[in-house]
Amino acid sequence: MSRDTEPASSAPVSTAISAIAHPIVTVPLGLFLLGLEAAGPRWGLISLAGGALPPVIIVLILRLIGVFGSIRIPSLTQRFRLLAATTIIEASAAGAYAILGAPQSLVIAQLAGTLSIVALAAVTAATRISLHVATLTTLLPCLVYVGGPIWVLGAITIPAVAVARVKCHAHTAHQVILATFIPPAITVTAILLFRVIAE
C-alpha cells in the first residue's frame, strides 16, 4: 500500500482522528494556547501569528502550487527542508518574543520547542517520524510548563493519535514510538536547561 494516501474507507475513525490532529490544526491551536497560558490573549495572538501561521502558510502554499504532492509531505527530503525552515522561523520568533518583552516562560517554551524541531529534523533524515504525534508531544510539555499540571491530561490524546496513524497506514509503529518519546525528552530537558541558564 502506498504511503502517499490514507485509506479513509478502511479506517474512518482513525482517518478522522488524523485529520483533527494534523499539525496544520494542532500547531496554531497549541501555540495560541501557549501564549494565552503564559500571558493572556495578547500573547496568545502574538504566538499564533509569529510561531504558528508562517510554517502553516508555507505548507499550504507549497501544496497549492504543487511542490508538495500531498499535505502529508511523504518525501523525506521535503520534510527535512520544511523542518529546517520551521526551525529558523521558531528560533526567530523566540528572539522576537524576548525583544518584545514576553514572559520568560514563553520564551523558554518557544526555545525548547525549537530544539525539539531540530531533533525531529535529524530523525527525519533516517525515517518518516510521525509529525502528528511529535507535534503533540512537543507542545504538551511546553503547556505544562507555562500553564500547570492540568495540561498533563492532554497526554490522553497521544495514544489515540499514535494508534490512528498506524491504522491509517500512514506510519509504522516504530515511527510513532519515536515521535512519542524523542520530542518530550528533548523539550523537557531544554526547558530545565534554559530555566537554569535564566536564573
Side-chain angles (χ1 to χ4, degrees):
M1 181 179 296
S2 171
R3 294 205 179 272
D4 293 347
T5 59
E6 294 184 11
S9 59
S10 64
V13 174
S14 295
T15 301
I17 291 172
S18 290
I20 294 167
H22 195 288
I24 284 179
V25 177
T26 55
V27 169
L29 177 61
L31 289 185
F32 172 74
L33 291 171
L34 193 64
L36 181 68
E37 287 282 19
R42 176 172 172 266
W43 277 103
L45 292 173
I46 291 172
S47 181
L48 172 66
L53 293 185
V56 167
I57 290 170
I58 288 171
V59 169
L60 292 176
I61 290 174
L62 292 179
R63 175 66 184 101
L64 286 172
I65 65 176
V67 174
F68 292 160
S70 164
I71 201 69
R72 292 180 52 242
I73 317 174
S75 164
L76 285 181
T77 300
Q78 289 178 337
R79 282 185 167 227
F80 178 83
R81 289 173 180 171
L82 176 62
L83 289 168
T86 302
T87 298
I88 295 170
I89 292 168
E90 302 306 326
S92 300
Y97 298 166
I99 292 170
L100 292 171
Q104 185 182 90
S105 62
L106 179 58
V107 176
I108 288 175
Q110 181 71 23
L111 287 171
T114 301
L115 287 182
S116 178
I117 296 170
V118 172
L120 291 173
V123 175
T124 294
T127 187
R128 200 167 58 81
I129 191 170
S130 172
L131 296 183
H132 283 64
V133 176
T135 300
L136 295 177
T137 57
T138 296
L139 285 169
L140 282 171
C142 293
L143 285 167
V144 170
Y145 171 56
V146 301
I150 186 66
W151 285 103
V152 172
L153 295 174
I156 63 175
T157 63
I158 295 170
V161 174
V163 170
R165 299 306 288 158
V166 174
K167 285 193 172 183
C168 284
H169 305 285
H171 292 283
T172 64
H174 175 70
Q175 289 167 338
V176 298
I177 289 170
L178 289 175
T180 300
F181 293 104
I182 291 176
I186 298 296
T187 305
V188 171
T189 301
I191 288 171
L192 294 174
L193 177 62
F194 288 133
R195 284 185 65 184
V196 170
I197 292 172
E199 289 179 354

